[in-house]
Structures are given as C-alpha cells and as structure tokens.
Amino acid sequence: MSIAFTFPGQGSQAVGMGKDLADAFPEAAAVFAEVDDALGEKLSDTIWNGPEETLILTANAQPALMAVSIAVIRVLEARGLDLGSKVSFVAGHSLGEYSALCAAGTFSLADTARLLGIRGNAMQAAVPVGKGAMAAIIGLEHDDVGAVCREASSLGACQIANDNGGGQLVISGEKQAVEKAAALATEKGAKRALMLPVSAPFHSSLMAPAAEAMREALAKVEKRDPVVPVVANVLAAPVSDAGEVARLLVEQVTGQVRWRETVQWFAANDVTTLYEIGSGKVLTGLARRIDKTVNGIAVNTPADIDAALAALLA
C-alpha cells in the first residue's frame, strides 16, 4: 500500500489561488517570488488579483498552476516531508507533469517556470486562432470515440487528446473535423458532445511546431533523474531516467494524456491514496470515478496541508 502525488492541469486555475499559502507560509511566498524572477514579470499579481481573462491565457495559466503546486510541496517539505521516502510515484495532468517533475527534482523551479512559459507560448502560436478546436465527449467508450475521430479526419486532423476517465474524453484537431466528430459521437449515443472554449487544439498533431520548440528548450536545461518515478502521460507507466522524461515531454505535446490508464495503473500497483497537490479538486474527482479503491485527497489550503502532514508523518 503506497501513496502517489498528482498535479493538476489547465482548467484548475482560479484567481486568488495560492494567496492563503503565501500569506501563511514564507516557503510558499518564496516560490511565487522565484517564479516571478524566472519569468521576468509579476505573474503572482495576475494569479492573485486577475483579471481572469489574463490568468487563463495558456502562457500564464501553465506556470501559475505549477507555482501553486510547488508552493504546497515546499511547505510540506519544510515541515518534515521527505518526498523520496514517503511518496512512491508522482504524476501530473498535461502541464501538471512539469509540476510533478519539479517536485521530484528533475528540473529546478526557475527552469520549470521558464519551460512552461515557452510551452504555453509555443502551443498558442502553433495554430492560427479559429483553425483548431477541442470538444468533450461524455458517455462513449474510448474505442468508439477513436472511431468517430478517424471518420471525421477526412476533414482534417482529429484525435483523442485526453482520456480523463469516468466516461469523459476530449478530442482535438482542426475545427471542421472536431465539429464533425462531435456530431458523429452524438449519433453514436454520447450523452453530451460539448465544444470547449479553448484557444488552441492541445494534444493534437497540429501542435507539432510546439513539440519542436519544447525539444529545443528541454535540450538546454539541466535535468536530474526524479527522486521517485513519474508515471508519464503518454505511457501511463513509470519513468525514472531524466533523458527519457524529456523525450516523453516532447511527445506529450502532440500525444494523448492517458489519465484513466494512469489511475488504473496506480490501483493495480498498490497505490491506495492519491494526494492532488495544487489548485482545485479536478483530479480527485476523476480518481473517484475511475477506481473507487483509490482514495483521492486534494491539498491546496493551509488546513489541507496540516491534515496531509498529520497523515503522511504519522
């Protein structure tokens, strides 16, 4: 029986997130200051004061969410948590994989912030606004969604971007093809097929220019083997080699986030508790729907930190 830490992805951001941590803990405040310095801007001001339309921009939301997650980690560590001895695995949803790797020591905090700034800008710039789209398909099996994507791909790129579990899949690609796939999914019995208000078709082949940008950026940063294995998005299996980690992060830009399989892998490998480290409770809710034998616990407030430490250090 073991523990894993998971780290949320885009969509979990909220104006004001992490402010209570920075006010309560100097270690948390130091994380936000270091991220500001690394990016050369007061991202913390946007995180805590908005406006929301600025925070949700991909190049801001990605390092912002990472900063909140690492603020929680630094507070836990300052109060006695040793990640390498108490936690068996880490994993993160899309950008959250960078948070997981920072927590596990693969990248420094400053490098992680810069990598996510590059990633956000590159993903935004990869496809002209209006050309790409994403849609959530609720209530169809993975194979059925794959089939409608293949059928719709006669109109352009279309593929599964996220397999979030609980009957929720997200598809991504060229707008015309995604709209067609969403309509086909409804015909095949999906409960809902909902176009998403996103600014780019993430985790699709259209992101190839962003993948190349990340290949270049990752080649230039110092990398260490993670102190605990990271269960990689594109494999849904653990990786412990820094070079392999970097290769998979490049692949992740255009590849599928296999979150359902990640949680199933945890359950099959005696992980009983998933602590969601950072803003929101999205991953905790998904874990509950994917496998009821896994207990999800969100950790993002001072009270949450106290409760987690009481359990982890018992």
Side-chain angles (χ1 to χ4, degrees):
M1 301 209 307
S2 59
I3 286 163
F5 278 7
T6 64
F7 296 81
Q10 213 162 329
S12 290
Q13 69 275 354
V15 172
M17 62 182 181
K19 183 70 166 68
D20 53 350
L21 300 175
D23 288 344
F25 305 110
E27 301 85 4
V31 168
F32 291 103
E34 188 172 341
V35 169
D36 286 350
D37 287 345
L39 296 175
E41 60 176 294
K42 285 283 280 183
L43 182 63
S44 58
D45 187 56
T46 302
I47 297 171
W48 296 332
N49 301 309
E52 185 181 17
E53 56 267 26
T54 302
L55 178 61
I56 65 173
L57 293 173
T58 302
N60 293 332
Q62 295 197 14
L65 282 161
M66 182 276 298
V68 177
S69 290
I70 300 305
V72 173
I73 289 289
R74 294 289 185 261
V75 174
L76 291 171
E77 289 175 334
R79 276 144 189 79
L81 177 74
D82 178 61
L83 193 77
S85 64
K86 290 291 185 181
V87 177
S88 298
F89 304 98
V90 294
H93 192 286
S94 190
L95 84 90
E97 194 156 76
Y98 286 80
S99 307
L101 289 162
C102 181
T106 294
F107 304 123
S108 72
L109 175 57
D111 281 341
T112 309
R114 286 188 286 263
L115 285 169
L116 285 172
I118 292 166
R119 184 177 184 268
N121 281 316
M123 290 171 91
Q124 195 62 63
V127 180
V129 173
K131 185 185 178 189
M134 298 180 78
I137 310 297
I138 312 295
L140 273 192
E141 294 298 319
H142 185 280
D143 289 349
D144 293 328
V145 176
V148 301
C149 286
R150 286 190 293 277
E151 189 174 341
S153 63
S154 61
L155 298 176
C158 185
Q159 67 195 78
I160 296 173
N162 300 344
D163 179 1
N164 287 329
Q168 181 193 116
L169 293 108
V170 177
I171 62 174
S172 183
E174 292 185 43
K175 188 168 187 283
Q176 194 177 1
V178 170
E179 288 173 342
K180 175 68 172 175
L184 289 168
T186 301
E187 289 173 18
K188 285 189 180 289
K191 292 176 185 172
R192 292 184 75 191
L194 180 69
M195 299 301 291
L196 297 177
V198 295
S199 53
F202 304 129
H203 298 290
S204 76
S205 60
L206 299 179
M207 289 284 112
E212 282 310 305
M214 292 317 298
R215 191 188 311 278
E216 291 178 20
L218 286 159
K220 294 173 186 172
V221 300
E222 183 182 354
K223 297 172 280 289
R224 301 182 190 87
D225 293 344
V227 297
V228 296
V230 57
V231 180
N233 282 185
V234 296
L235 289 183
V239 181
S240 296
D241 174 75
E244 179 78 347
V245 161
R247 186 184 70 77
L248 293 171
L249 286 175
V250 174
E251 196 177 314
Q252 188 223 64
V253 178
T254 57
Q256 185 182 145
V257 177
R258 296 167 61 180
W259 197 255
R260 172 181 58 86
E261 293 168 89
T262 295
V263 174
Q264 289 172 338
W265 187 92
F266 283 137
N269 287 274
D270 299 322
V271 174
T272 55
T273 306
L274 299 179
Y275 284 92
E276 181 176 3
I277 308 295
S279 180
K281 300 180 179 180
V282 170
L283 301 183
T284 300
L286 291 178
R288 195 173 294 123
R289 291 202 291 274
I290 294 165
D291 193 311
K292 290 191 165 39
T293 68
V294 178
N295 184 32
I297 299 172
V299 184
N300 55 39
T301 68
D304 293 340
I305 287 172
D306 288 343
L309 285 170
L312 289 164
L313 302 182

